[in-house]
Amino acid sequence: MADGSAWRSERQEGTSDRTAPSRQVIGSSIAVRDVVKTYGSFRAADNISLDVQPGEFITLLGPSGSGKTTLLNLVAGFQKINGGEILVDGRPIHNVPTHRRGFGMVFQSYALFPNMTVTQNVAFPMRMAGLDRQTTERRVAETLEMMRLSEHAAKLPTQMSGGQQQRVAIARAIVMRPKVVLMDEPLSALDRRLRESIQIELRDLHQRLGSTILFVTHDQGEALTMSDRIAVLDGGRIVQVGNPVDIYRHPANRFVASFVGESNLIDAEIMQKRGSTMTLRTRGGYVFAAESASGIDVGRATVLVRPERIVVGDAPLANTMPVTVTSALFLGEILRIEARTASGETLLIRSADGADRRLPSVGETLHVGWRAEDCWVLA
Ligand code: ATP
């Protein structure tokens, strides 16, 4: 639990968030430098470096076993690093025990005290820090209000739903107004609708709180929704750090392209390169233009085309190719179509529903294409 120094410390003005430049920031910077964590000969964290800005909401995203929790635990102090260093506001924290780091923490299991009311649970860190009763009552009331829990103040955890219990756990983690909040898959036990509504609440809370949030998830949608920046992990390494738009539109490699969002990865040959625009040809002879990162040269390449960027028509046009529909599903807001090209590649297409949209039949021929700015040549 956090000690009193966390919230007693001076608040400072800051402007690290790109969406709300004037908001108040109380968060710390976190610098992870060449951090290594080994279990025997296995490297769970393999030379990880990451700079987190004060007040930033940064998400560690990756598949199971990629090292997200390991990194979070190293920052929290639950585990000791084998190499490198972690600095908070420029100061090394290796010798600071977890309870003295002043971080708020939220885990997948709510870990509430079952015999305490909501108020008592949320007040617990303040009582432990020896804060006076008046301050505690005021701060707890404010925090319950922030988390829309005021009407549940007198309830025991067992009298509340999973989503409400997790909101209590979040309230308890932020009641001290910590400079850093660490969250490890806090929403993964909740159903989809609840998860989505708490995601939006958490984003809003982060804006108001101004703390630095380090959030772990394997859910790419969650990461895209909430984060200022996302660090994508694979095999104990960070493979890309960027804002959600960049990660989604300009993934660094095939792994990020397929882990974040649905993707069509098309093999093609680079025929020409002019600035950042390339002309490519697929195996089946479809010639198209695409944007690319720097440093990619002539030769074979993989091109990412997101399913929602594919334009579908009934008739052939310049720059379209014929495909045969192999599956077509109506999912409400979108039509999800799978189709095969003449050279045997499968394309996934997602088209927004509309009054003039018709669900094609299996076996039908469609004509598809994409614009240069809608595809991305992977490094
Ligand atoms: P998940 O989403 O499943 O929680 P993760 O990305 O958080 O995965 P970690 O829990 O950080 O992954 O684990 C990273 C790797 O380190 C895994 O291969 C795991 O088996 C290994 N590992 C973690 N803790 C230990 C331990 N105490 N002893 C040995 N190996 C461990």
Side-chain angles (χ1 to χ4, degrees):
M1 284 297 151
D3 69 12
S5 63
W7 82 276
R8 274 195 229 108
S9 59
E10 297 264 306
R11 284 182 163 227
Q12 54 185 78
E13 298 295 322
T15 59
S16 83
D17 190 277
R18 64 202 155 81
T19 55
S22 61
R23 80 189 173 99
Q24 192 171 40
V25 169
I26 60 167
S28 297
S29 67
I30 305 172
V32 177
R33 302 264 157 80
D34 302 317
V35 161
V36 173
K37 174 68 191 173
T38 51
Y39 295 111
S41 60
F42 177 74
R43 285 186 164 226
D46 191 3
N47 260 307
I48 291 182
S49 293
L50 178 66
D51 274 304
V52 183
Q53 303 302 313
E56 194 173 21
F57 192 130
I58 193 151
T59 297
L60 307 178
L61 173 69
S64 183
S66 57
K68 310 177 294 290
T69 297
T70 298
L71 181 54
L72 198 81
N73 285 344
L74 293 171
V75 175
F78 295 136
Q79 306 263 9
K80 287 229 169 297
I81 59 178
N82 300 107
E85 58 178 357
I86 299 176
L87 312 172
V88 173
D89 288 333
R91 286 185 292 276
I93 53 165
H94 317 142
N95 295 323
V96 183
T98 299
H99 69 279
R100 295 225 159 269
R101 293 188 184 189
F103 299 165
M105 292 182 208
V106 188
F107 304 96
Q108 183 180 342
S109 63
Y110 323 128
L112 299 176
F113 302 111
N115 54 339
M116 291 188 193
T117 64
V118 167
T119 296
Q120 289 164 340
N121 264 285
V122 176
F124 185 79
M126 301 198 81
R127 277 187 30 225
M128 288 289 101
L131 295 168
D132 67 83
R133 193 172 158 162
Q134 207 183 0
T135 309
T136 303
E137 280 177 3
R138 181 175 49 80
R139 182 60 69 79
V140 169
E142 267 172 31
T143 309
L144 291 181
E145 180 70 35
M146 248 183 182
M147 296 305 298
R148 295 192 291 110
L149 285 166
S150 306
E151 64 185 286
H152 304 290
K155 285 187 183 170
L156 291 170
T158 48
Q159 296 170 314
M160 302 181 71
S161 71
Q164 290 164 340
Q165 289 185 53
Q166 192 55 303
R167 293 220 302 273
V168 177
I170 294 168
R172 189 176 60 183
I174 62 165
V175 71
M176 302 284 279
R177 304 297 182 261
K179 293 179 161 201
V180 175
V181 184
L182 306 177
M183 299 190 172
D184 193 352
E185 306 253 8
L187 311 183
S188 57
L190 309 176
D191 69 51
R192 188 172 66 88
R193 269 177 194 277
L194 195 54
R195 215 164 57 219
E196 287 171 359
S197 82
I198 301 189
Q199 282 166 10
I200 292 163
E201 273 178 42
L202 263 181
R203 251 178 72 121
D204 187 42
L205 177 72
H206 171 243
Q207 290 295 319
R208 283 185 284 157
L209 207 56
S211 303
T212 302
I213 298 187
L214 195 53
F215 187 96
V216 162
T217 184
H218 62 269
D219 178 337
Q220 43 97 18
E222 191 160 285
L224 293 171
T225 306
M226 292 196 298
S227 321
D228 291 326
R229 285 191 306 154
I230 299 170
V232 184
L233 279 92
D234 182 28
R237 290 168 180 250
I238 291 183
V239 288
Q240 187 171 5
V241 184
N243 68 47
V245 173
D246 235 20
I247 295 271
Y248 185 78
R249 292 189 184 163
H250 303 136
N253 56 29
R254 288 180 76 103
F255 170 79
V256 179
S258 28
F259 188 71
V260 181
E262 290 191 295
S263 53
N264 293 293
L265 296 174
I266 298 163
D267 285 330
E269 186 164 3
I270 302 167
M271 297 164 62
Q272 198 183 61
K273 187 179 169 186
R274 196 168 292 151
S276 64
T277 308
M278 291 181 164
T279 307
L280 300 107
R281 184 171 48 209
T282 65
R283 264 191 297 148
Y286 176 62
V287 175
F288 63 99
E291 299 293 322
S292 74
S294 57
I296 301 177
D297 240 331
V298 179
R300 292 215 70 79
T302 302
V303 183
L304 165 69
V305 187
R306 294 291 184 193
E308 69 277 13
R309 297 293 189 91
I310 297 181
V311 181
V312 185
D314 291 331
L317 288 173
N319 277 328
T320 62
M321 69 170 146
V323 292
T324 307
V325 175
T326 54
S327 134
L329 296 171
F330 177 71
L331 302 183
E333 76 275 25
I334 61 150
L335 313 183
R336 185 187 188 282
I337 301 163
E338 281 181 19
R340 204 169 24 243
T341 66
S343 53
E345 292 143 328
T346 297
L347 288 182
L348 173 63
I349 303 159
R350 292 165 73 91
S351 301
D353 184 41
D356 56 344
R357 296 312 309 271
R358 179 181 64 80
L359 192 65
S361 317
V362 171
E364 193 176 327
T365 299
L366 297 175
H367 298 269
V368 303
W370 48 79
R371 303 178 308 168
E373 54 271 39
D374 289 330
C375 46
W376 179 245
V377 184
L378 295 169

